[in-house]
């Protein structure tokens, strides 16, 4: 293998790492907010259902915006600019949260986050899939690792900061490095046209899009994968909402220790993503996806039995390894079963469906916790991931990417 990559290939690698860094930023602020939720809930006197509703509002906004976001990606050639806008719009509302003192304003601010996040994935994922058509699983897992890095490091940093500052002070201080990095992403990606130059085939009219999307909604693999992902997202969103609440309120851990536990959850996902992506390229998406989901369900049940013990904390890392391993596999599978020129729309539909699940999951889990206790939510999460796996069983295996 040559030590020096051709110019175009080297540029592709630069794009990969820039997009991966951007993905880490889109996860940094939500990961920070999950750690702050127990403190915000205690300050405002919120019930578990009200805490769940906060995250529900974020994902309702995301669900509404994801499909239009996919339309923008497929009809606008400036993909780098769209990603830069998304980065800014994810971080800025979290600054506003630091100045809110009412529950209603908190819901408004968190809803703004959902709109910003809806642009990132329909832009970044199809771009990477087209740049690396034979290594989708591996490349998308590297992109996913960027999100895991943001999810993992933020709780550690913010947990340490909360030992010396209030959560409102931490929110204000936290926004400065994010704005600096977001500005750098604007500089490097704002004027960049990722992939080949825009041609008439790349920019679709609204009439062409509307006609093509009717066929897209008849794609059996897309419907089954999106529906299964809806239930999987119920699991993930409810877990990230109530795991820190359980660790803080039921097990009495400090913010730093809670942050360390969330780091273990995301760090395990960081390690698992490239392994799952590579194996799915070799042995098939369906095999890897079914195995990881089934194991996730077993670990969740084990956590419910081990609640309040050191074993519960140890199982957190094991859960992260299997739960987060399947994200890039789902994305790669979807891109292989939908037309290339509708990649943004396909990912928009997938993430719109996931946002619906993420909106419903925390609210239902909060209602379960209010009625039966916080530990019972882990049985509920095991049920949702089992339902998700049911839809994967009936999803047809990917062959080749169909024509538009």
């Amino acid at each position: 293998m040559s030590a020096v990559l051709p110019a175009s290939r080297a540029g592709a690698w630069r794009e990969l790492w820039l997009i991966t860094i951007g993905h880490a930023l889109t996860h940094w602020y939500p990961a920070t907010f999950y750690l702050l939720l127990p403190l915000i809930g205690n300050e405002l006197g919120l019930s578990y259902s009200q805490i769940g509703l906060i995250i529900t509002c974020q994902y309702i906004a995301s669900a509404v915006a994801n499909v239009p976001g996919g339309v923008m990606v497929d009809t606008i050639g400036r993909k780098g600019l769209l990603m830069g806008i998304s980065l800014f719009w994810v971080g800025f509302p979290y600054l506003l949260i630091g100045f809110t003192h009412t529950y209603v304003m908190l819901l408004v601010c968190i809803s703004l986050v959902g709109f910003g996040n809806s642009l990132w994935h329909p832009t970044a994922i199809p771009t990477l899939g087209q740049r690396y058509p034979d290594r989708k699983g591996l490349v998308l897992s590297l992109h996913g690792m960027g999100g895991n890095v943001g999810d993992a490091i933020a709780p550690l940093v913010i947990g340490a900061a909360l030992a010396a500052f209030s959560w409102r002070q931490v929110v204000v201080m936290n926004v400065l490095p994010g704005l600096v990095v977001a500005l750098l992403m604007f500089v490097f990606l704002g004027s960049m046209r990722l992939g080949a130059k825009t041609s008439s085939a790349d920019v679709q009219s609204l009439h062409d899009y509307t006609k093509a999307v009717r066929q897209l909604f008849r794609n059996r693999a897309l419907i089954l994968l999106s529906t299964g992902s809806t239930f999987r997202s119920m699991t993930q969103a409810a877990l990230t909402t109530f795991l820190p609440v359980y660790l803080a309120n039921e097990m009495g851990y400090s913010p730093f220790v809670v942050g360390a536990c969330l780091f273990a959850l995301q760090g395990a996902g960081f390690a698992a993503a490239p392994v799952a992506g590579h194996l799915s390229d070799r042995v098939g998406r369906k095999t890897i996806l079914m195995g990881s989901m089934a194991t996730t369900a077993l670990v969740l049940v084990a956590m419910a039995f081990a609640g309040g013990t050191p074993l519960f904390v140890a199982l957190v890392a094991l859960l992260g390894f299997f739960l987060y391993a399947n994200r890039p596999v789902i994305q790669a599978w979807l891109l292989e079963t939908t037309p290339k020129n509708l990649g943004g729309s396909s990912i928009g539909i997938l993430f719109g469906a996931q946002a619906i699940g993420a909106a419903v999951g925390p609210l239902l889990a909060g209602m379960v916790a209010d009625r039966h206790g916080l530990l019972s939510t882990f049985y509920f999460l095991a049920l949702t991931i089992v339902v998700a796996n049911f839809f994967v069983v009936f999803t047809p295996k990917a062959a080749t990417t169909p024509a538009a």
Side-chain angles (χ1 to χ4, degrees), residues 318-350:
L318 185 62
L319 175 65
F321 187 88
F322 290 101
L323 178 61
Y324 291 99
N326 54 41
R327 290 189 299 191
V329 180
I330 295 173
Q331 295 159 11
W333 194 352
L334 186 76
L335 290 177
E336 290 171 347
T337 58
T338 54
K340 289 183 179 179
N341 66 320
L342 293 176
S345 303
S346 301
I347 294 297
I349 292 170
L350 173 67

Side-chain angles (χ1 to χ4, degrees), residues 34-51:
Y34 284 120
L35 187 61
L36 300 179
L37 266 180
L39 302 177
I40 296 173
N42 291 337
E43 180 179 309
L44 298 181
L46 304 180
S47 67
Y48 291 134
S49 298
Q50 288 175 311
I51 291 175

